[in-house]
């Protein structure tokens, strides 16, 4: 990475996105500071044993600890976890702490922050309900809106914003396939009939490395995706990966919002945003551009085979 950072501080290094970025950086021979709240965890200890990786302790709620963790780095990968507590105010405060820490440390060549679109003001979301009333304004998909409204904290920093999309690996956590009377399996999501963007986590890492190598991308907002596919096509990939017959059951987003689990309304309106803004959403996540940034995109079948999928 001769034109990019030589030492990158990676937030969430033991998590999904941060872990994928760390592995991609190590593969490219870039030094990494793996930032985690718990350096004594098994995942952190495993990272500490990797060549070119130094593990440091920091907490996104503590700006001083972030300053110490980023000291000596000239690049950064920024991510926070809304789903840990589902508190958008806390998440935005964490992004602000991070931005302040990066400004205090100085010397940054390039920063990548994974983020998402603003939904509340989009005309396609007029019929979606307000989920959170926040000092920054009403929010209809808080884990989108909070990230987008945190961009302002990074003004003055050399940052590229990278829009993610739904991760295939979520079939090992968020999404479950249920056994039917005929011995087939079914997953139910409000995906409509057309394609939406899906991302394989390893591709987030590779795209981030590609962005960090390109200083001309500072100040830009890009999108990440590994494939565009419909619910039926997704079911076909799952069936191939597992050897089981897996079917997709479409459901209206308003019905999904009533399923009753924590965050159901949030996810329902997220999928509404995916489907109702399809052309715009897929456009910024152009697969050719993603491949230019990160190289060959991941294989969905192989990804599903590597994930502990949820069956019930």
């Amino acid at each position: 990475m001769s034109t990019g950072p030589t030492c990158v501080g990676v937030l969430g290094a033991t998590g999904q996105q941060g872990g994928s970025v760390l592995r991609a950086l190590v593969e490219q021979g870039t030094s990494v500071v793996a930032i985690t709240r718990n350096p004594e965890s098994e995942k952190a200890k495993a990272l500490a044993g990797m060549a070119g990786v130094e593990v440091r302790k920091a907490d996104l709620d503590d700006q001083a600890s972030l300053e110490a963790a980023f000291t000596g780095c000239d690049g950064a990968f920024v991510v926070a976890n809304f789903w840990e507590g589902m508190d958008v105010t806390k998440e935005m405060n964490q992004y602000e702490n991070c931005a302040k820490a990066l400004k205090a440390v100085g010397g940054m060549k390039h920063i990548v922050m994974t983020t998402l679109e603003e939904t509340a003001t989009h005309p396609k979301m007029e019929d979606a309900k307000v989920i959170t009333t926040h000092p920054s304004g009403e929010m209809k998909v808080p884990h989108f809106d909070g990230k987008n409204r945190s961009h302002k904290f990074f003004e003055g920093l050399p940052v590229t914003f990278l829009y993610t999309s739904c991760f295939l690996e979520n079939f090992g956590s968020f999404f479950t396939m249920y056994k039917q009377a005929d011995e087939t399996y079914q997953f139910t999501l409000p995906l409509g009939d057309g394609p939406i963007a899906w991302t394989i986590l390893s591709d987030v890492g590779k795209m981030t490395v590609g962005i960090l190598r390109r200083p001309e991308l500072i100040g830009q907002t890009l999108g990440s995706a590994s494939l565009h596919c419909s619910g039926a096509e997704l079911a076909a990939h799952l069936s191939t990966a597992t050897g089981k017959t897996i079917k997709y059951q479409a459901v209206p987003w308003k019905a999904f919002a009533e399923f009753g689990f924590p965050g159901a309304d949030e996810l329902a309106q997220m999928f509404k945003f995916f489907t109702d803004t399809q052309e715009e959403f897929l456009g910024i996540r152009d697969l050719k551009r993603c491949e230019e940034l990160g190289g060959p995109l991941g294989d969905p079948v192989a990804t599903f085979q590597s994930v502990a999928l949820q069956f019930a």
Side-chain angles (χ1 to χ4, degrees), residues 3-305:
T3 61
T6 57
C7 181
V8 179
V10 176
L11 291 172
T14 60
Q16 288 189 317
Q17 292 187 50
S20 73
V21 171
L22 180 146
R23 289 187 291 274
L25 287 165
V26 169
E27 287 176 7
Q28 296 297 320
T30 303
S31 297
V32 176
V33 172
I35 302 172
T36 177
R37 286 175 301 181
N38 183 12
E40 299 305 313
S41 71
E42 292 305 314
K43 287 184 178 180
K45 289 178 180 178
L47 296 180
M50 297 173 65
V53 176
E54 177 188 354
V55 176
R56 294 181 187 172
K57 181 178 181 178
D59 192 313
L60 280 166
D61 296 320
D62 181 352
Q63 180 186 331
S65 73
L66 290 167
E67 291 179 20
F70 282 121
T71 296
C73 298
D74 59 354
F77 174 73
V78 175
V79 66
N81 185 8
F82 167 85
W83 296 104
E84 185 180 80
M86 296 173 61
D87 183 341
V88 70
T89 297
K90 180 175 181 178
E91 182 189 33
M92 291 180 70
N93 288 340
Q94 290 177 338
Y95 282 122
E96 185 172 17
N97 287 339
C98 181
K100 287 180 176 178
L102 290 167
K103 290 175 182 179
V105 170
M108 286 288 146
K109 291 182 179 178
H110 204 159
I111 299 161
V112 173
M113 172 184 167
T114 50
T115 181
L116 290 159
E117 288 94 332
E118 167 73 40
T119 68
T121 58
H122 199 288
K124 295 285 189 178
M125 296 294 283
E126 286 183 0
D127 57 338
K129 75 174 186 178
V130 174
I131 291 179
T132 299
T133 300
H134 188 268
S136 65
E138 296 177 340
M139 296 184 173
K140 294 188 174 181
V141 186
H143 78 280
F144 275 54
D145 301 330
K147 291 177 179 63
N148 198 274
R149 296 177 197 181
S150 295
H151 293 184
K152 63 184 180 182
F153 303 135
F154 293 84
E155 290 177 3
L157 288 167
V159 61
T160 300
F161 297 110
L162 181 63
Y163 286 161
T164 57
S165 52
C166 205
F167 297 118
L168 287 187
E169 287 85 352
N170 286 343
F171 277 87
S173 53
F174 281 100
F175 310 137
T176 301
M177 288 158 285
Y178 292 92
K179 194 170 187 178
Q180 307 298 298
D182 62 358
E183 301 298 312
T184 64
Y185 288 83
Q186 177 179 287
F187 65 92
T188 302
L189 289 172
L191 305 180
D193 297 322
I196 68 168
W198 295 84
T199 299
I200 295 168
L201 281 163
S202 59
D203 288 335
V204 174
K206 292 188 294 183
M207 282 183 241
T208 297
V209 170
I211 292 167
L212 289 171
R213 284 176 159 177
R214 295 167 171 82
E216 68 271 17
L217 297 179
I218 290 171
Q220 294 191 30
T221 298
L222 308 172
S224 68
S226 304
L227 67 160
H228 299 166
C229 73
S230 66
E233 291 168 332
L234 199 63
H237 289 314
L238 283 161
S239 297
T240 301
T242 62
K244 305 176 189 292
T245 300
I246 298 173
K247 301 176 181 178
Y248 161 60
Q249 175 63 49
V251 64
W253 68 271
K254 287 186 177 180
F256 189 89
E258 299 300 322
F259 278 9
F261 61 85
D265 53 355
E266 171 118 3
L267 290 177
Q269 295 191 169
M270 174 190 78
F271 284 116
K272 170 183 166 55
F273 186 77
F274 289 170
T275 57
D276 288 5
T277 68
Q278 183 186 85
E279 184 176 352
E280 176 184 344
F281 194 85
L282 296 181
I284 197 168
R285 293 162 176 83
D286 177 74
L287 296 180
K288 183 178 180 181
R289 179 58 168 151
C290 291
E291 199 161 30
E292 289 172 355
L293 290 172
L297 300 174
D299 175 20
V301 172
T303 299
F304 284 137
Q305 289 174 334

